[in-house]
Amino acid sequence: KKIVNPTPHTRVCFVTVTSADLVGVRRELLPWIQYHTEIGVERFYLFYDGSDTKALEVLHSIDVVKVIPIRVPLVGETLQHQLERWSKRHRQWGHRPGNYELMVKQTFAITLAIQLAREENVDWIMHIDPDELFVAESESSYSIVDVLGRQHPYVSSVRFMNNE
């Protein structure tokens, strides 16, 4: 298999949903953002489902993070209606065991994040939970940009194994 040279300006972003309070932001989210920034993630679309306004202030202050509140009263009216419609459309999941309510919010978030990523000319978008780390192991580095930048232009998706 021929190895493609990495695209010099491959842009990678992550999307996630969190409800972290200020302590959770400081202990978990900030190190998570720092680690992934160091391996090449340029942008984070963080859908905030919490109610801690101090945590929200901290998250808004980070240049690489675009915060989108999705919980009343922090959410805008238009987005609130979109989320309600999305939830109703996927209500069949509500009676199943597991955290389907969160999964509905995650699918809503990734759908909106894809639109945002297109507007910002992002090449690759990945949903990853804030309690997970992406480990990019290539021949020469631990850069996610290196791994994704080597994909042929016709490749529209790449699947990575989740080792929990």
Side-chain angles (χ1 to χ4, degrees), residues 28-91:
E28 298 163 9
L29 219 44
L30 293 178
W32 181 83
I33 292 167
Q34 181 179 0
Y35 167 79
H36 288 103
T37 301
E38 289 177 9
I39 66 167
V41 178
E42 263 187 59
R43 179 59 121 174
F44 298 82
Y45 299 117
L46 201 149
F47 288 79
Y48 189 67
D49 192 29
S51 56
D52 189 331
T53 55
K54 297 256 188 231
L56 199 56
E57 285 176 32
V58 170
L59 294 169
H60 275 298
S61 73
I62 305 168
D63 289 338
V64 296
V65 174
K66 180 168 182 66
V67 182
I68 302 100
I70 59 172
R71 176 176 280 211
V72 175
L74 304 173
V75 65
E77 192 174 314
T78 302
L79 193 59
Q80 179 183 351
H81 291 304
Q82 289 175 341
L83 179 55
E84 287 170 0
R85 282 195 315 271
W86 186 271
S87 297
K88 285 179 186 174
R89 193 175 332 146
H90 296 91
R91 70 179 174 266

Side-chain angles (χ1 to χ4, degrees), residues 113-154:
I114 288 170
Q115 293 171 3
L116 294 169
R118 282 184 180 144
E119 292 169 9
E120 294 186 359
N121 297 313
V122 172
D123 300 299
W124 292 96
I125 185 169
M126 182 182 301
H127 176 273
I128 184 168
D129 291 336
D131 63 344
E132 300 170 342
L133 296 176
F134 183 86
V135 179
E137 296 182 35
S138 71
E139 302 85 28
S140 59
S141 73
Y142 289 96
S143 165
I144 192 170
V145 173
D146 188 41
V147 171
L148 294 173
R150 289 180 184 271
Q151 301 303 314
H152 288 277
Y154 59 81

